[in-house]
Amino acid sequence: MGKGRGLLGALGLVSLVGLSLAQGEVKVGVLHSLTGTMAISEVTVKNATLLAIEEINARGGVLGRKLLPVVEDGASDPATFAQKAQKLIQQDKVATVFGGWTSASRKAMLPVFERLGNLLWYPVQFEGNECSPNIMYTGAQPNQQILPALDWALEKGYKKFFLVGSDYVFPRTANLILKRHIEARKGVLSGEEYVPLGGTDFSSVVNKIRAARPDVVFNTINGDSNVAFFKQMAAAGLTPDKLPVMSFSIAEQEAKAIGPSLLKGSYAAWNYFMSLETPENRTFVKAYQTKYGPNELITDPMAHGYANVYLWKAAVEKAQSFDPNAVRKAAVLMGWVSTPLGRVRFAENQSLYQAVYIGELQGNAQFKILWSTKEPVKPEPYDPLAFPGKTCKLH
Amino acid sequence: MGEAALWIGQVFNGLSVGSILIMTALGLAFSFGLMRVINMAHGEFLMLGGYLAFLIQQGMPSPYSPLLTLPLAFLSGALVGWLLESGLVRFLYGRPAETLLATWGISLVLQQAARDLFGPSGVEVTSPSWLAGALEIRGGALDGLGLPYVRFFVASLALLVLGLLGALLRWTRIGLHIRAVSQNREMAAALGIHTRAVDGFVFALGSGLAGLGGAALAFLAPVTPTVGQSYIVDAFLVVILGGLGSLGGTVVAGLLVGLASALLQALTSVSLAKVLLLLLVVLTLQVRPRGLVSLRSRALEEV
């Protein structure tokens, strides 16, 4: 019996070696917007993903095979994302794909991955309310970003909340969840406003905020509109020290582009800040800046994009196979992995257990970490108050 | 903060947004009124003024640099406008579709140039300290009302521009020529007015106004390669509502659109207000198809 197993193992090893000698490399897809409006955010995630692939190759690859990244441009267009995903899977025969940023691009790619039975590693915080066996959701679920921020604010004594956001799926869903929880926790919702994506006139919103006199503003505005919002708030005398603002789409890079002087003292909630003082993060920051330049900033989605490659590697090694179905099953069984984000592991809904940090923005576009959850938070794609009765059970 | 304060605040916001609209729409109305040119690159002159404000602030970080920025933004907008007119647009007079396409192409080129020079995300222009803060009212019926100084500044700039423009048209020789050309181009030419020079001057003037508007806007909103696009649609709306080419109509329509959108935003939401505003404009044009102030040959005199 024992002898037989040894023989089988030896055979397996021989076939594995044979495979790696025959093919040598395994292709993985990297699919982000390299052009168009989202390029500013997604190019850096692509860079972080390629850094991880390079590091893994330098240490011998995965199961003895080097990774060959196939980089494709989603061009900030959901339909292009779907096409390129199909191309990567069918034509390039990639083992898996790392990519996506906007919810629109993810929702466009989802049917492709389900139909062709491949696996997407998605690195960005999002609104939840989705659950697919063919996506590994490593960015924050709502209960890993916006709800901890609400708890922290209530703990600080803020009772009256004002919600502002861009008018699309993430802010609308996030605020729906926030409203249910503000209600349940006896907080007061003093107003809720949406501005079209890219809008720059916040005069009415600022006036309504003044009239409502909230204790804190929760901000899910995206992109350059944030500049107009913070400028017009400051012009009306509502600077972050007088009326605190908690933002969910402003990380280090955005803060630098908006102007740290405008944002100084305002808050953000993420699963990662560049200023995290852990050995894993210091190594990551150093490696990234060595490769891409000493002044480069690193954000939460970049850290997730980098960690995703290592998580995939760990899952492949646990499964001893590159087969997407075997990999996703192994991923939820493999336990804790240490990353620049801290200790993380997959839950049965293919999202990550991860810690949440609240940071205060400093003048140098870095966040001072004020608070963090004691333990990694269990991911919950369907908020029980906002989406009662819906659950995500994939394994 | 009571109801009264909220509404007075919104009226103030409406006038301030209206004054920005007027500054961006005047140049469009100007070149349409005189030359029947729809300048799709007009928004990019705004962008130019914004980036210039940024460059001057970087090079000369004094609280009074905006005072230098404004005339420079006007002059550089005017210069680029004059180059565009004499290098391209003047060959296309009388061919509206070609002008539309050519100026649209120019606007794409300018946007990409800005993206290459300054990066795809916006740059920040900080308001000088003397423009920071707001006139705040404490106590009484208007408790909690806050009127930002920077909006007073932009509104007074618009007023100043309107005054100067009126004076230019009424009391100067070039103003007389502009009025003559807009009333009857052939007659004016026959009387010895150099209509080509007048066209170039007016196009440059309109572009300069956009540059000036862009520099003022930089205190309120981000300066990005696509900043022009976000204002150009509203500016076209104002020009059409006011009556194509009518300067007086542009002023009235700018104020009306600003006020209506601010009041609608207070009653509903920002997104819904945009839809309602468009609906209102469409309905108005049903009743007055040629705009609030319909174009007559003497339209330019109404300023």
Side-chain angles (χ1 to χ4, degrees):
Chain A
M1 186 74 195
K3 203 177 168 189
R5 192 186 270 171
L7 195 69
L8 259 172
L11 269 175
L13 200 70
V14 167
S15 72
L16 206 76
V17 170
L19 213 70
S20 70
L21 281 177
Q23 294 176 304
E25 288 170 330
V26 59
K27 284 184 181 171
V28 294
V30 180
L31 177 47
H32 280 290
S33 299
L34 311 181
T35 57
T37 58
M38 292 308 298
I40 171 122
S41 306
E42 291 192 54
V43 165
T44 57
V45 179
K46 177 215 68 173
N47 289 346
T49 308
L50 290 181
L51 172 67
I53 291 174
E54 199 175 276
E55 288 175 0
I56 289 170
N57 280 342
R59 281 176 223 141
V62 181
L63 297 185
R65 291 168 71 179
K66 292 267 164 71
L67 307 181
L68 182 68
V70 183
V71 182
E72 282 292 346
D73 179 9
S76 309
D77 171 43
T80 309
F81 268 97
Q83 278 169 16
K84 297 283 180 164
Q86 181 158 359
K87 183 237 165 204
L88 283 170
I89 299 166
Q90 291 192 316
Q91 202 173 313
D92 298 315
K93 309 246 184 293
V94 296
T96 195
V97 177
F98 304 97
W101 180 295
T102 64
S103 291
S105 71
R106 190 190 64 249
K107 294 214 182 268
M109 289 189 283
L110 187 146
V112 177
F113 282 92
E114 289 189 346
R115 187 158 42 85
L116 302 176
N118 207 298
L119 198 56
L120 171 71
W121 297 72
Y122 177 71
V124 183
Q125 46 83 255
F126 74 120
E127 67 279 0
N129 201 20
E130 186 184 293
C131 171
S132 165
N134 297 85
I135 300 183
M136 307 302 289
Y137 302 91
T138 65
Q141 298 280 0
N143 75 317
Q144 295 174 315
Q145 190 194 22
I146 57 178
L147 292 182
L150 176 66
D151 289 335
W152 176 81
L154 285 164
E155 215 172 274
K156 261 198 109 169
Y158 300 139
K159 285 254 150 40
K160 285 177 75 181
F161 297 83
F162 199 105
L163 313 179
V164 285
S166 299
D167 207 353
Y168 75 107
V169 54
F170 170 68
R172 287 271 180 189
T173 314
N175 287 345
L176 172 72
I177 295 168
L178 274 173
K179 279 189 286 185
R180 295 278 178 279
H181 284 263
I182 289 171
E183 208 174 291
R185 288 165 211 197
K186 306 275 180 284
V188 180
L189 177 73
S190 65
E192 179 185 8
E193 287 292 325
Y194 297 92
V195 173
L197 210 54
T200 53
D201 175 23
F202 285 88
S203 56
S204 301
V205 173
V206 171
N207 199 22
K208 283 184 184 175
I209 292 175
R210 282 192 78 101
R213 293 177 187 273
D215 298 332
V216 62
V217 175
F218 272 29
N219 165 24
T220 42
I221 297 169
N222 241 47
D224 285 324
S225 296
N226 271 307
V227 184
F229 175 66
F230 278 96
K231 267 194 170 165
Q232 293 173 29
M233 285 283 278
L238 302 173
T239 42
D241 55 312
K242 292 207 187 96
L243 176 58
V245 178
M246 168 74 75
S247 300
F248 298 107
S249 296
I250 295 178
E252 287 82 350
Q253 275 184 29
E254 288 80 10
K256 189 181 165 202
I258 291 168
S261 64
L262 219 57
L263 294 176
K264 197 168 169 241
S266 75
Y267 305 118
W270 290 100
N271 306 114
Y272 170 89
F273 286 116
M274 190 174 172
S275 54
L276 268 176
E277 282 292 336
T278 62
E280 289 88 353
N281 185 42
R282 274 196 296 260
T283 312
F284 168 50
V285 171
K286 200 167 161 230
Y288 190 89
Q289 291 186 332
T290 308
K291 186 166 161 64
Y292 296 107
N295 298 320
E296 290 293 311
L297 294 172
I298 295 168
T299 63
D300 172 288
M302 291 162 69
H304 278 100
Y306 175 85
N308 279 353
V309 187
Y310 280 97
L311 289 167
W312 173 75
K313 174 179 184 275
V316 169
E317 282 164 355
K318 166 111 187 151
Q320 284 294 303
S321 159
F322 290 104
D323 174 58
N325 207 34
V327 169
R328 69 181 196 88
K329 283 189 179 130
V332 299
L333 295 172
M334 72 190 180
W336 297 100
V337 177
S338 86
T339 69
L341 307 157
R343 268 184 332 137
V344 299
R345 81 175 171 88
F346 278 103
E348 293 190 339
N349 51 36
Q350 296 188 184
S351 306
L352 278 186
Y353 278 84
Q354 54 193 333
V356 186
Y357 303 97
I358 308 268
E360 184 185 351
L361 195 73
Q362 313 292 298
N364 58 357
Q366 291 292 338
F367 289 90
K368 187 170 101 192
I369 295 168
L370 299 179
W371 179 89
S372 76
T373 50
K374 286 176 194 73
E375 288 296 316
V377 178
K378 185 174 185 243
E380 190 59 70
Y382 295 106
D383 184 82
L385 290 183
F387 306 103
K390 283 176 106 175
T391 53
C392 175
K393 196 113 179 66
L394 294 169
H395 292 271
Chain B
M1 181 166 174
E3 277 288 286
L6 177 72
W7 288 104
I8 290 176
Q10 281 308 90
V11 169
F12 173 79
N13 284 337
L15 291 175
S16 128
V17 171
S19 67
I20 293 168
L21 284 175
I22 291 170
M23 272 207 284
T24 50
L26 268 180
L28 275 179
F30 234 140
S31 47
F32 189 85
L34 198 69
M35 294 157 277
R36 292 288 176 274
V37 164
I38 294 174
N39 177 16
M40 298 293 283
H42 190 72
E44 278 56 53
F45 294 125
L46 280 177
M47 173 192 86
L48 213 72
Y51 279 115
L52 197 76
F54 166 73
L55 286 180
I56 291 179
Q57 193 168 60
Q58 295 295 304
M60 196 187 99
S62 137
Y64 295 99
S65 64
L67 297 179
L68 176 73
T69 306
L70 295 173
L72 271 179
F74 176 82
L75 287 176
S76 60
L79 178 71
V80 177
W82 181 76
L83 286 174
L84 177 64
E85 200 272 344
S86 55
L88 181 79
V89 175
R90 76 188 175 98
F91 301 110
L92 299 168
Y93 284 142
R95 289 149 69 186
E98 282 91 332
T99 333
L100 205 79
L101 279 176
T103 50
W104 186 48
I106 294 285
S107 89
L108 293 180
V109 170
L110 289 175
Q111 278 176 35
Q112 190 56 44
R115 207 170 281 129
D116 290 343
L117 281 173
F118 298 98
S121 61
V123 295
E124 192 202 1
V125 177
T126 33
S127 312
S129 50
W130 53 275
L131 279 180
L135 178 69
E136 303 204 28
I137 293 167
R138 302 244 170 268
L142 297 182
D143 181 44
L145 183 63
L147 310 175
Y149 293 129
V150 61
R151 288 188 178 271
F152 279 111
F153 177 73
V154 174
S156 6
L157 188 68
L159 259 180
L160 181 74
V161 164
L162 278 179
L164 288 176
L165 214 55
L168 176 90
L169 287 175
R170 188 163 290 278
W171 289 310
T172 65
R173 192 158 184 84
I174 181 77
L176 185 71
H177 287 182
I178 293 173
R179 281 184 289 151
V181 173
S182 79
Q183 280 174 32
N184 191 327
R185 178 174 290 267
E186 286 75 27
M187 182 70 83
L191 288 172
I193 291 175
H194 193 348
T195 59
R196 276 276 328 110
V198 171
D199 288 344
F201 178 82
V202 167
F203 200 91
L205 184 63
S207 311
L209 290 179
L212 183 68
L217 267 178
F219 298 127
L220 289 172
V223 182
T224 63
T226 50
V227 63
Q229 289 180 338
S230 43
Y231 290 95
I232 200 70
V233 176
D234 287 342
F236 274 122
L237 193 75
V238 165
V239 171
I240 292 167
L241 182 68
L244 280 171
S246 154
L247 298 191
T250 303
V251 174
V252 175
L255 288 178
L256 274 181
V257 168
L259 273 177
S261 85
L263 296 180
L264 286 172
Q265 284 179 10
L267 285 169
T268 63
S269 70
V270 177
S271 306
L272 191 58
K274 263 206 142 50
V275 178
L276 292 175
L277 182 71
L278 266 177
L279 210 67
L280 274 181
V281 171
V282 170
L283 288 177
T284 313
L285 291 175
Q286 292 295 311
V287 183
R288 295 187 67 99
R290 307 194 63 188
L292 292 173
V293 179
S294 58
L295 186 68
R296 286 173 289 137
S297 59
R298 293 151 71 98
L300 283 177
E301 281 191 310
E302 285 164 9
V303 168

